[in-house]
Amino acid sequence: MAGGEVLRRAVCLLVLFSFVFFPSQALGFAFQDPTGLYSTVIPDQWVFQAHLSSDSLVVFYGAGEQSLLYFEQLDLVEDQDALAFGQRSLELFAQEGGLSAYQLEEPLSALDLAGVEAASCLYSYESEGKIRLWEYRIFVVLPGERGFSLALGDAEETFFENRAVLEQVLENWRWLF
Amino acid sequence: MVVLRFSTFKKWPALLVLLLLLVSLGAEPIFAAPTLAEQFEKSLGRGAAPDVIKQYGGEYILPLPERLWLEEIFRRLEAVTERSEIEYTLTVLDSQQWNAFSLPGGYIFITKGLLKSIGGDETKAAAVLGHEIAHVEKKHGVNAVLRQMGLTVLLEVGVFWLDLLSADVLRVASATLLQLLQLGWGREAEFEADALGQDLAVKAGFDAIGPVLLLTDFLEAEDEDLPLGVFRTHPNTDKRRERLVSRLSSFWPEPSLVWERSSLESKNIRRNSEDAGRSDPRNRFRVEFAQRGLRIEDTQQGRFLQWLADYQIHDFRWSPQGSYLAVVAEQNYQRVLLVLDRQGRLLKKSSSLSEFGQLEEFCWSPREKMLALGFAADQGSSVVVTYLQADVYFKVSGQEGRHPVWTEEGLGFARRDGWYRLLPPEVIPVLIPNPVPLVLQRKKSLLPTLIREGDSIRLTRPALSLP
């Protein structure tokens, strides 16, 4: 085998390796929320939904039919911390009138979101169209007792394909206060 | 708890019991412990509530965000009620009918269908609930039952052999109540509940226009033959709406003198300048008078448009955030107020305003929901307020007023002796206490279906499937 051919194959392998192990890490756009509370990087395939978004709610649709990423600023919450906020929210989700066929997949656990104490969990439920949806949720109680939430949802079958998306969003998360 | 029964008092003089009942059925409760009439009222409502729920398809559990929203509106209204002995409860019924009603004892019901028609409009929701709470506050239900059963007469002549809380009486009363519920509590009771409901809504921080908007919806629904349920049996909707409109100005305070005339002149107050009102706050459209209508330059699209070509334009003014364009135009020698959106679509056209005089000037409220109109007439000038959403007009300036200016500080206008200001009734938006995050689902995109037919393709209309 000629030396050139070996080099060509090595380069091809390297390119392939980089696609497999660094999927679209760098391909994204910086997003800053309209109120100047936070910024992050959103993968390129995810499209901002202006008609669904407002000052307090920011929504992105992914490539999948159910893939959805959204950040919400809430008014004052009375919960002591993120875990209590999460616990109360999940209890209401589980109630009648909450989420249909709700199931907690991974319980609440503490998390550090860019230096702010947060709580995360994973749950699933049935959509209006009878599709089983999974949703990863982060709860935050910001200074001044204001609630904040981040959610990444998708159909059960494709949910875990979004892991890189979540990592990218969380790694680049910055609070702007 | 000691339950007082009439049989307990058999040997007592009937007059004493009559006095007790008449006093307790009156407006002011005088005993801390529940009176016999209150017990009867509560038992009556409690007994009939399961039948009502059953009759209307059972209880409907609202999705969480809607539930928290409705509960907060209900809580605010309940907080301003006067009958402290009543514990109000709200139940949503699983029925598509447009319906709401109340039972004695504080049982309030609203159907899923009516809530759907209200959408997220908190003023309309407060109007419905306020009206139903008012029926309980005024004891319309319990009084109607007593009247219907002839008990009022019996009580008045002092016949007290009847055990008011016995199972038999309550069963008959409950059946009577359910019958009456279908007919409403009577014409005067409805008018009274309209007025008190509007008062309660305003006290609770909702806009007084709510009941008017709601009845406007009902008027439209009557035309379209929508499932109006009990509202069909209420008095003439037009008349009710008219009465509510006539009360709107009563929620505005008396204007107060801010500066006297001499001070006013020295301050050289700047009114909404012509330019500020005329240029699009979002800097997209340039609007000019045309020979007929308005000539619009869309600077974004680089094109010229003509709006309101059928009208002779007298004046126009953009709303503060540029969402709407208000226009005073002349048609058939009469001035009318028109409101357009940014696409030039007509959102509002006033009915005849001649009763106030000649419409001369106008300005927007800071939140773009209302307009203040300045009229000139032989008998004097006046300032009139109207809502963007409703074709209603009411004078707020009293005897005299001109040059309306509306800022965050209130609605100002001039009189001969100086500058006056009015603070509109406070409207507090519904904020859900201790909220929980939303859970969103993707909406179906309304994409057309692509059909291949040989070498060509055909796009069909998006198909909508209703849940």
Side-chain angles (χ1 to χ4, degrees), chain B residues 278 286-297 304-318 325-329 338-341 344 362:
Chain B
R278 290 193 176 182
R286 287 200 194 111
V287 187
E288 289 173 6
F289 289 101
Q291 216 165 20
R292 299 284 291 174
L294 292 168
R295 183 173 182 269
I296 315 289
E297 183 187 355
F304 288 91
L305 306 160
Q306 196 180 16
W307 290 353
L308 302 172
D310 297 336
Y311 295 90
Q312 190 72 45
I313 308 298
H314 174 70
D315 200 359
F316 60 88
R317 200 170 291 279
W318 284 100
L325 181 69
V327 179
V328 173
L338 308 165
V339 180
L340 310 177
D341 67 8
F362 61 102

Side-chain angles (χ1 to χ4, degrees), chain B residues 31 42 47 160 195 217 258 317 352 389 393 461:
Chain B
F31 304 114
K42 285 179 187 172
F160 284 104
D217 288 352
V258 188
R317 200 170 291 279
S352 171
Q389 286 174 283
Y393 305 87
R461 282 183 182 182

Side-chain angles (χ1 to χ4, degrees), chain B residues 448-451 457-461:
Chain B
T449 314
L450 190 144
I451 299 172
I457 55 168
R458 186 161 61 89
L459 296 176
T460 63
R461 282 183 182 182

Side-chain angles (χ1 to χ4, degrees), chain B residues 275-288 294-307 316-319 321-325 340-345:
Chain B
D275 288 342
R278 290 193 176 182
S279 55
D280 173 15
R282 301 184 198 172
N283 289 322
R284 175 172 171 180
F285 297 111
R286 287 200 194 111
V287 187
E288 289 173 6
L294 292 168
R295 183 173 182 269
I296 315 289
E297 183 187 355
D298 182 348
T299 57
Q300 203 178 81
Q301 302 281 329
R303 59 180 181 169
F304 288 91
L305 306 160
Q306 196 180 16
W307 290 353
F316 60 88
R317 200 170 291 279
W318 284 100
S319 60
Q321 281 89 52
S323 311
Y324 312 104
L325 181 69
L340 310 177
D341 67 8
R342 288 178 70 81
Q343 280 74 48
R345 287 178 295 219

Side-chain angles (χ1 to χ4, degrees), chain A residues 61-62 64-65 67-68 70 72 75-76 78 88-89 95 97 125 128 137, chain B residues 61-64 67 431-443:
Chain A
Y61 278 3
E65 277 194 7
S67 47
L68 181 67
Y70 54 104
E72 187 191 3
D75 288 312
L76 296 181
E78 291 165 15
R88 182 174 59 84
S89 303
Q95 272 180 17
Y125 66 100
E128 287 161 13
R137 172 80 69 164
Chain B
I61 307 293
L62 280 173
L64 188 58
R67 175 156 64 89
L431 287 179
I432 293 163
N434 212 14
V436 290
L438 288 170
V439 179
L440 297 185
Q441 288 173 23
R442 274 183 68 151
K443 306 254 182 247

Side-chain angles (χ1 to χ4, degrees), chain B residues 168-444:
Chain B
D168 287 342
V169 172
L170 281 174
R171 201 167 28 251
V172 176
S174 186
T176 311
L177 177 68
L178 291 171
Q179 261 180 1
L180 287 172
L181 196 63
Q182 302 301 322
L183 305 167
W185 306 129
R187 190 184 164 81
E188 281 314 309
E190 292 308 329
F191 285 135
E192 199 176 25
D194 277 345
L196 180 59
Q198 196 178 27
D199 290 345
L200 288 173
V202 173
K203 260 196 204 171
F206 298 99
D207 200 313
I209 196 68
V212 178
L213 296 177
L214 190 74
L215 291 184
T216 309
D217 288 352
F218 289 160
L219 281 169
E220 285 166 11
E222 279 172 2
D223 291 344
E224 292 170 25
D225 206 23
L226 286 169
L228 277 177
V230 79
F231 294 106
R232 285 205 190 284
T233 60
H234 279 38
N236 182 293
T237 312
D238 259 333
K239 281 243 157 35
R240 291 176 63 197
R241 186 179 180 276
E242 210 174 281
R243 285 194 183 202
L244 288 164
V245 170
S246 72
R247 301 181 83 246
L248 287 174
S249 61
S250 69
F251 299 106
W252 286 61
E254 282 296 309
S256 55
L257 182 66
V258 188
W259 297 299
E260 289 177 9
R261 188 185 163 85
S262 52
S263 163
L264 179 69
E265 280 160 0
S266 65
K267 279 176 189 291
N268 187 23
I269 290 174
R270 287 185 60 183
R271 299 184 47 241
N272 298 13
S273 79
E274 294 296 298
D275 288 342
R278 290 193 176 182
S279 55
D280 173 15
R282 301 184 198 172
N283 289 322
R284 175 172 171 180
F285 297 111
R286 287 200 194 111
V287 187
E288 289 173 6
F289 289 101
Q291 216 165 20
R292 299 284 291 174
L294 292 168
R295 183 173 182 269
I296 315 289
E297 183 187 355
D298 182 348
T299 57
Q300 203 178 81
Q301 302 281 329
R303 59 180 181 169
F304 288 91
L305 306 160
Q306 196 180 16
W307 290 353
L308 302 172
D310 297 336
Y311 295 90
Q312 190 72 45
I313 308 298
H314 174 70
D315 200 359
F316 60 88
R317 200 170 291 279
W318 284 100
S319 60
Q321 281 89 52
S323 311
Y324 312 104
L325 181 69
V327 179
V328 173
E330 254 175 61
Q331 197 183 37
N332 303 328
Y333 306 106
Q334 278 208 340
R335 283 194 185 166
V336 286
L337 175 75
L338 308 165
V339 180
L340 310 177
D341 67 8
R342 288 178 70 81
Q343 280 74 48
R345 287 178 295 219
L346 189 63
L347 299 179
K348 175 186 170 111
K349 181 182 175 187
S350 68
S351 49
S352 171
L353 300 170
S354 55
E355 61 173 303
F356 299 109
Q358 173 97 313
L359 177 54
E360 293 286 354
E361 48 194 353
F362 61 102
C363 64
W364 282 93
S365 70
R367 301 273 176 275
E368 306 184 319
K369 287 188 174 166
M370 290 186 256
L371 287 135
L373 314 175
F375 285 90
D378 295 339
Q379 62 270 31
S381 56
S382 61
V383 175
V384 168
V385 164
T386 183
Y387 283 81
L388 174 66
Q389 286 174 283
D391 194 28
V392 297
Y393 305 87
F394 54 97
K395 204 187 274 192
V396 293
S397 60
Q399 290 304 310
E400 187 206 351
R402 57 185 183 281
H403 308 323
V405 177
W406 209 328
T407 65
E408 294 285 356
E409 289 163 5
L411 171 59
F413 60 86
R415 280 183 183 166
R416 279 190 201 94
D417 59 340
W419 190 257
Y420 283 77
R421 191 166 61 198
L422 274 166
L423 288 173
E426 192 184 9
V427 175
I428 306 163
V430 174
L431 287 179
I432 293 163
N434 212 14
V436 290
L438 288 170
V439 179
L440 297 185
Q441 288 173 23
R442 274 183 68 151
K443 306 254 182 247
K444 275 224 177 319

